[in-house]
Amino acid sequence: MKAPIVIVGSGLAGITVLRELRKLDKTIPVIVVTADDGAFYSKPSISNALASGKTAAQLAMSPAEQLSAQFNAEFRTSTFVEHILADQHALLTSKGRIEYGKLVIALGAHPIRVPMDGNAAEEVLSVNNLADYARFRERLNGAKHVAIMGAGLIGCEFANDLAIAGIQSTVFDRSQHALGRLLPERSAAFFREKLESVGVKFHFDTTLSKIERAETSLTITDSYGGQMNVDLVLSAIGLKPAVELAQEAGLAINRGIVVNRQLATSNPDIHALGDCAEVDGLVLPFVLPIMQCARALAKILAGEEAAVTYPAMPVAVKTPACPTVVCPPPMGSEGTWQEAVSVGGVRAVYLDAQGEMLGFVLLGEAVQEKQALLAGMKAWL
Amino acid sequence: MKKWQCIVCGYIYDEAAGDPDHGIAAGTKWEDVPEGWSCPECGVAKSDFEMVQI
């Protein structure tokens, strides 16, 4: 029997590789190793599940047994990978040794934690998978006011979702702007105003420094010494690629696990994709890049020649108070933003010295122009 | 009229309802939805999706 392909991680990246591989090869043995229950769920739906009226359980679309039957793969659930023994083509897990022919690392990313003072610092929640989300919803029961750390994409999506559910949120960010890393200044101001119009409050240029439990609520203190009482603190300050296992196995690491356009790590029998991987220098923890990588990797695992390509991939921010599409300029590119602000929206384009468009931002009713602008964008990879 | 579901985010495209916010009139059959259309929920392109008939 051929040595199996072993996929570590059952998030969007791992399961999409499996699904795409089975379109090309129905028989090669595949084992999926996952620390959780292996159910497939829509990760993007987590930050708008309140608005869509879904519980954590309702977000799970197919349990591991169903995926196992559908894709002819063995699922090892609640199984933690402890070591990769690259020279032996084997994994040591919490439930024993697993040998592989090819290994696919799809472990995702960890929420970044910052040290904080106070006797309730440990109560800060972050939501990066379905189990986290179930815990969040449990704690949200009866909550009236949530503090959110980080005014990035996830923080703003949660703030808007809570507003729809009638729960007050106050968002803290060390920068001066909402979505500050994605939006130019006037766009960020427009976005902020729209979110404030549905009741979201922003506190910029500050961070939370202390969290104390008081009777039934939490007393939070910001870096200026300002205090307020909230029911829950949600941290959405960013993600860090899960590189520990790969690093310990001696694979090349930079910001993520370094892979080439064949999604191969520095060990040719070990591949990586998704939020843990750095593909040709790019760490892009979004749905579209994962889909591109999963398709290319499936071909490679099936023995075909392939290389991942990245067209320009816009990110939709799920904030109904201000529909938002962002196609960020590639890192290190030089140019200037030109923002056209109207009552109903913003259309901003990032142009280089020759007038070529390298990125764009569309807010409000301008999101209709997405396809038209996308057609003028060069591929990223 | 049929319905199709996005396997990435669970969004349902209902041919009867279309997606008028994104220029797809009510009653547009799945095969007539242009290839440039993308999922209004998660942004994955039509050609990049597996839609399952439900």
Side-chain angles (χ1 to χ4, degrees):
Chain A
M1 195 176 88
K2 239 174 139 176
I5 293 169
V6 174
I7 300 172
V8 183
S10 63
L12 180 66
I15 298 301
T16 305
V17 170
L18 171 62
R19 181 187 294 115
E20 293 292 322
L21 176 63
R22 281 302 181 233
K23 290 180 189 168
L24 306 171
D25 186 323
K26 304 235 182 291
T27 57
I28 184 166
V30 177
I31 300 174
V32 178
V33 184
T34 176
D36 63 28
D37 65 6
F40 184 72
Y41 64 98
S42 157
K43 178 89 171 271
S45 305
I46 279 184
S47 46
N48 64 350
L50 287 169
S52 63
K54 286 191 173 157
T55 63
Q58 285 167 333
L59 287 174
M61 294 191 285
S62 359
E65 306 78 67
Q66 186 184 326
L67 297 170
S68 173
Q70 184 181 354
F71 299 123
N72 180 31
E74 188 183 333
F75 274 66
R76 306 270 183 96
T77 57
S78 308
T79 303
F80 293 83
V81 176
E82 287 157 356
H83 301 284
I84 299 169
L85 307 176
D87 53 341
Q88 300 174 32
H89 282 70
L91 302 176
L92 293 184
T93 79
S94 57
K95 295 187 177 172
R97 183 183 163 99
I98 300 172
E99 303 206 334
Y100 65 81
K102 298 272 185 193
L103 180 65
V104 176
I105 303 176
L107 279 166
H110 306 302
I112 295 171
R113 308 281 295 192
V114 286
M116 232 178 308
D117 295 330
N119 65 11
E122 292 300 308
E123 291 190 39
V124 174
L125 292 183
S126 46
V127 175
N128 191 40
N129 59 45
L130 197 54
D132 290 345
Y133 188 66
R135 207 169 306 128
F136 170 68
R137 285 291 288 269
E138 210 172 281
R139 292 272 305 276
L140 201 57
N141 199 7
K144 292 184 177 65
H145 190 178
V146 176
I148 298 175
M149 297 162 60
L153 189 148
I154 300 296
C156 289
E157 288 187 350
F158 271 110
N160 199 158
D161 203 38
L162 288 166
I164 291 168
I167 299 169
Q168 173 66 49
S169 58
T170 303
V171 185
F172 294 83
D173 199 287
R174 63 168 71 223
S175 81
Q176 304 283 349
H177 303 289
L179 298 182
R181 280 158 73 175
L182 294 172
L183 304 184
E185 210 167 314
R186 292 172 70 199
S187 304
F190 181 95
F191 179 87
R192 170 188 181 169
E193 203 173 287
K194 293 291 174 194
L195 263 75
E196 284 175 339
S197 75
V198 297
V200 176
K201 290 202 168 73
F202 288 99
H203 287 208
F204 289 113
D205 197 23
T206 185
T207 53
L208 291 190
S209 53
K210 189 174 173 185
I211 305 179
E212 290 278 347
R213 165 124 327 255
E215 299 279 319
T216 55
S217 66
L218 298 169
T219 302
I220 57 174
T221 308
D222 69 21
S223 48
Y224 290 116
Q227 292 195 327
M228 68 172 75
N229 285 331
V230 299
D231 301 300
L232 193 64
V233 179
L234 179 68
S235 175
I237 54 174
L239 293 173
K240 189 177 180 304
V243 300
E244 300 81 359
L245 263 184
Q247 193 157 28
E248 191 226 34
L251 303 179
I253 306 293
N254 189 26
R255 279 186 302 147
I257 303 169
V258 173
V259 297
N260 59 19
R261 291 180 64 179
Q262 281 69 45
L263 289 316
T265 66
S266 51
N267 180 318
D269 289 332
I270 304 179
H271 295 270
L273 83 163
D275 294 2
C276 64
E278 178 176 326
V279 184
D280 207 23
L282 300 173
V283 177
L284 298 172
F286 301 108
V287 170
L288 287 168
I290 291 175
M291 304 300 279
Q292 295 291 116
C293 288
R295 276 191 204 103
L297 182 52
K299 283 186 188 159
I300 290 159
L301 293 172
E304 295 177 27
E305 300 252 325
V308 67
T309 57
Y310 281 168
M313 291 176 279
V315 176
V317 185
K318 297 187 300 303
T319 42
C322 183
T324 299
V325 173
V326 181
C327 193
M331 273 203 327
S333 51
E334 288 196 21
T336 48
W337 281 104
Q338 294 189 358
E339 301 177 84
V341 183
S342 66
V343 178
V346 179
R347 178 189 191 275
V349 291
Y350 189 82
L351 305 176
D352 69 9
Q354 284 72 47
E356 190 176 354
M357 183 173 57
L358 301 179
F360 61 82
V361 162
L362 299 169
L363 303 180
E365 59 193 29
V367 295
Q368 296 169 16
E369 295 183 58
K370 180 177 95 173
Q371 292 305 337
L373 287 187
L374 200 52
M377 292 284 298
K378 274 201 304 207
W380 291 345
L381 204 63
Chain B
M1 292 276 110
K2 292 171 185 160
K3 292 181 181 180
W4 304 77
Q5 186 175 27
C6 165
I7 56 155
V8 170
C9 73
Y11 169 82
I12 289 168
Y13 175 81
D14 180 347
E15 292 182 342
D19 179 18
D21 286 352
H22 299 90
I24 309 296
T28 304
K29 285 197 170 148
W30 179 244
E31 58 262 36
D32 296 329
V33 172
E35 291 304 315
W37 179 84
S38 62
C39 175
E41 293 290 320
C42 69
V44 175
K46 181 189 178 190
S47 56
D48 263 350
F49 260 46
E50 287 178 9
M51 288 279 191
V52 288
Q53 201 175 324
I54 56 168

